[in-house]
Amino acid sequence: MIELPDRTEPRVGLQSRGNRHHLGSTRSQNDFRSRSPSSALSIPSSTTSFSGSDKRSVLRPFPMSHGTTTLGFIFQGGVIAAADTRASAGGLVACPAVHKITPLHSHLVVTSSGSGADCMLWERILAREIRLYQLRHKRRLSIRGTAKLLSFMLQSTRITQTGSTDYGPKLIYVCSDGARLQGDVFSVGSGSPYAYGVLDRDLKWNLSVPEAVSLAREAVFRATHRDAYSGNNVDLFHITAQGWHQRKREDLKEEYYRKIEEIRHTNESG
Amino acid sequence: MEYLIGIQGPDFVLVAADNVAASSIIQMKHDYDKMFKLSEKILLLCVGEAGDTVQFAEYIQKNVQLYKMRNGYELSPSAAANFTRKNLADYLRSRTPYHVNLLLAGYDDADGPGLFYMDHLSSLAKAPFAAHGYGAYLTLSILDRYYKKLNTLSSSFQLNRRFILNLPSFSVRVIDKNGIQELQKVTVGAAK
């Protein structure tokens, strides 16, 4: 992807919810909503969709891929985006090592959930559109503008371009049914309730960067432990005014065994 | 479930909406504002399907502002309400109806305060008080009993505080001849 010249204002973390009426898997797509029906924030949807009466949902001929846990939050050191790496198709782990977090430019990443194909498509379209915007207008589209663009593209009724001059870290949740929410912490996917539980407890504004990273990792780990459709590894991005930085992908199996060891150690010494 | 309420007084309209943006069982935001300012003295409160609310409300909002730019004066609340209803009705019989329930509250310098109730089937009714959501079942009967034509702002507000359901907080605004003012947020602990 073409690297865009750095802007002076730090803008980070556009999250969006993925498709909503998804029957198969839920891979949360932060940043973009996919247009085709799939569940963004729904509980694992291999058989039914929890997202209520989706009168627009389409009957799937086969279970689609992706259960997911993705999350993002803002703190004093910027924005953290974390996601698991499992793609599930019904009860099968279709791929244990997918990338659910994609950088769009040096200061913007998108996490995705819902139908993987749709997410990839919309990521690419959005990347193209914001690059075109930058070339035409000689400035980068703001995070909120990008979210609005995505939301309108997915709505497919009209496209609106917006610009905004606010700076700072941002986290926006976009969903295929049209919702756009800006906030400080979001988690999307089948594992999101578990992640919320961990995040809501320990999240504070003045966490240090290592603490925030370990909180994000812990939240994804706990979600993958309980949610069958999330698992394998955890991807973590940390975005600051200087741009995004990706941590090495960590295998959660190791984390699990490390935690077992810790517990055994405390039990033995305690 | 989302909740909206509006109460019209002799020279004001008091409106309140809950602050929750939820998705299935998770509360995504607890400080979400459901009121859209159409003009200096008109507020549109919008609940319903997730994407449709913002889309439709912003569409109406921009069109009302466009009218002002083109013609030099603002739409009256009644005109804005009818315009909104017409749009809802047009989309109702299209492939993509908007599933939104609305309350439009405004103060007209000529006609005084007005509260308009609209639902997703594009019905429109001017009413002295109205509510949307499951909470409406509880509150409309209370309003029927206790609403008096000459209620004052403080008693309206008191009535409002009693309508707390299981929703954590509500934003409250009042429209009068001076425009829109935001009153304090009502939270669960405040109700007595």
Side-chain angles (χ1 to χ4, degrees):
Chain A
M1 166 153 161
I2 305 169
E3 254 312 292
L4 304 173
D6 275 0
R7 293 206 20 126
T8 48
E9 60 269 25
R11 281 172 311 180
V12 288
L14 180 62
Q15 270 200 345
S16 81
R17 192 158 73 160
N19 304 316
R20 200 177 55 153
H21 316 273
H22 198 62
L23 290 183
S25 48
T26 47
R27 171 186 167 188
S28 44
Q29 169 145 44
N30 298 320
D31 224 6
F32 271 95
R33 293 176 307 182
S34 284
R35 183 146 64 101
S36 68
S38 68
S39 350
L41 180 71
S42 74
I43 326 278
S45 45
S46 53
T47 47
T48 56
S49 177
F50 258 71
S51 34
S53 53
D54 300 332
K55 52 193 182 300
R56 287 196 281 252
S57 65
V58 172
L59 195 59
R60 301 279 169 179
F62 48 82
M64 307 279 279
S65 46
H66 297 312
T68 246
T69 307
T70 71
L71 59 93
F73 59 85
I74 299 180
F75 70 114
Q76 58 81 19
V79 184
I80 299 276
D84 73 308
T85 61
R86 175 176 291 180
S88 54
L92 166 73
V93 176
C95 176
V98 296
H99 292 275
K100 299 191 188 182
I101 313 186
T102 317
L104 283 190
H105 59 64
S106 63
H107 288 79
L108 183 58
V109 300
V110 50
T111 76
S112 52
S113 101
S115 154
D118 290 333
C119 290
M120 281 184 199
L121 172 70
W122 287 104
E123 276 165 18
R124 289 179 67 118
I125 291 178
L126 185 66
R128 180 192 70 193
E129 290 302 323
I130 64 178
R131 178 66 177 138
L132 281 173
Y133 182 95
Q134 189 189 5
L135 291 169
R136 285 177 184 141
H137 298 91
K138 299 198 176 28
R139 65 183 188 88
R140 242 180 215 171
L141 188 56
S142 67
I143 308 278
R144 284 174 47 177
T146 316
K148 206 158 193 183
L149 180 61
L150 173 59
S151 131
F152 281 121
M153 286 201 291
L154 292 173
Q155 283 274 316
S156 77
T157 46
R158 57 191 152 270
I159 292 188
T160 309
Q161 289 259 352
T162 63
S164 154
T165 52
D166 39 9
Y167 307 121
K170 284 231 179 7
L171 188 62
I172 306 180
Y173 169 101
V174 182
C175 166
S176 60
D177 60 9
R180 246 180 313 119
L181 298 172
Q182 185 175 329
D184 292 335
V185 55
F186 285 115
S187 173
V188 192
S190 53
S192 65
Y194 311 110
Y196 269 125
V198 174
L199 282 175
D200 286 339
R201 187 161 175 273
D202 289 327
L203 184 64
K204 288 183 278 292
W205 176 261
N206 45 15
L207 289 172
S208 69
V209 174
E211 281 173 349
V213 165
S214 95
L215 175 64
R217 209 172 65 233
E218 180 78 12
V220 175
F221 168 66
R222 294 288 165 200
T224 56
H225 180 57
R226 283 290 173 185
D227 178 30
Y229 300 97
S230 309
N232 294 104
N233 307 310
V234 58
D235 274 335
L236 229 146
F237 275 69
H238 177 217
I239 308 146
T240 60
Q242 282 71 47
W244 57 260
H245 169 251
Q246 182 179 9
R247 283 176 56 89
K248 192 157 99 64
R249 176 175 277 197
E250 292 173 33
D251 193 342
L252 289 169
K253 194 172 55 188
E254 317 283 324
E255 178 91 7
Y256 175 71
Y257 286 122
R258 227 179 306 140
K259 289 219 164 8
I260 297 281
E261 273 306 304
E262 273 173 31
I263 295 172
R264 183 173 312 144
H265 184 69
T266 34
N267 284 344
E268 278 167 9
S269 60
Chain B
M1 184 59 205
E2 305 177 290
Y3 177 67
L4 300 176
I5 184 174
I7 305 176
Q8 180 194 329
D11 57 355
F12 65 88
V13 188
L14 182 72
V15 289
D18 72 290
N19 285 331
V20 170
S23 172
S24 106
I25 62 166
I26 302 280
Q27 214 183 82
M28 300 293 290
K29 268 180 84 96
H30 51 263
D31 55 356
Y32 182 63
D33 190 7
K34 298 184 188 183
M35 306 197 196
F36 294 84
K37 186 172 145 182
L38 297 191
S39 75
E40 285 309 313
K41 295 183 185 166
I42 307 182
L43 269 180
L44 181 69
L45 285 76
C46 195
V47 290
E49 191 160 328
D52 290 353
T53 52
V54 176
Q55 291 272 40
F56 185 73
E58 285 191 349
Y59 175 67
I60 300 295
Q61 190 179 42
K62 303 310 173 200
N63 272 291
V64 169
Q65 285 164 5
L66 181 64
Y67 184 95
K68 181 180 176 190
M69 285 180 214
R70 279 190 179 143
N71 301 294
Y73 60 90
E74 288 182 342
L75 274 171
S76 68
S78 159
N82 278 287
F83 170 70
T84 310
R85 190 215 71 84
K86 180 74 168 67
N87 267 287
L88 261 179
D90 288 339
Y91 278 102
L92 186 60
R93 282 178 175 72
S94 72
R95 269 190 324 113
T96 55
Y98 283 107
H99 195 285
V100 290
N101 293 315
L102 309 163
L103 283 183
L104 194 143
Y107 188 91
D108 193 7
D109 292 323
D111 298 329
L115 176 68
F116 297 88
Y117 170 99
M118 274 172 274
D119 74 358
H120 65 278
L121 296 171
S122 75
S123 59
L124 170 67
K126 186 172 189 304
F129 54 86
H132 278 298
Y134 287 131
Y137 291 101
L138 302 165
T139 54
L140 284 174
S141 53
I142 304 178
L143 281 165
D144 282 329
R145 170 79 175 83
Y146 290 108
Y147 179 84
K148 287 191 248 291
K149 192 71 172 89
L150 297 173
N151 59 0
T152 65
L153 185 57
S154 58
S155 66
S156 267
F157 192 56
Q158 283 301 314
L159 216 50
N160 216 337
R161 286 159 82 99
R162 292 207 164 275
F163 296 162
I164 311 293
L165 307 167
N166 222 4
L167 296 163
S169 77
F170 297 80
S171 0
V172 186
R173 292 200 170 94
V174 66
I175 310 177
D176 58 16
K177 61 182 188 316
N178 302 318
I180 302 172
Q181 283 124 43
E182 175 143 14
L183 304 177
Q184 63 175 113
K185 273 202 169 118
V186 183
T187 54
V188 177
K192 281 282 177 283

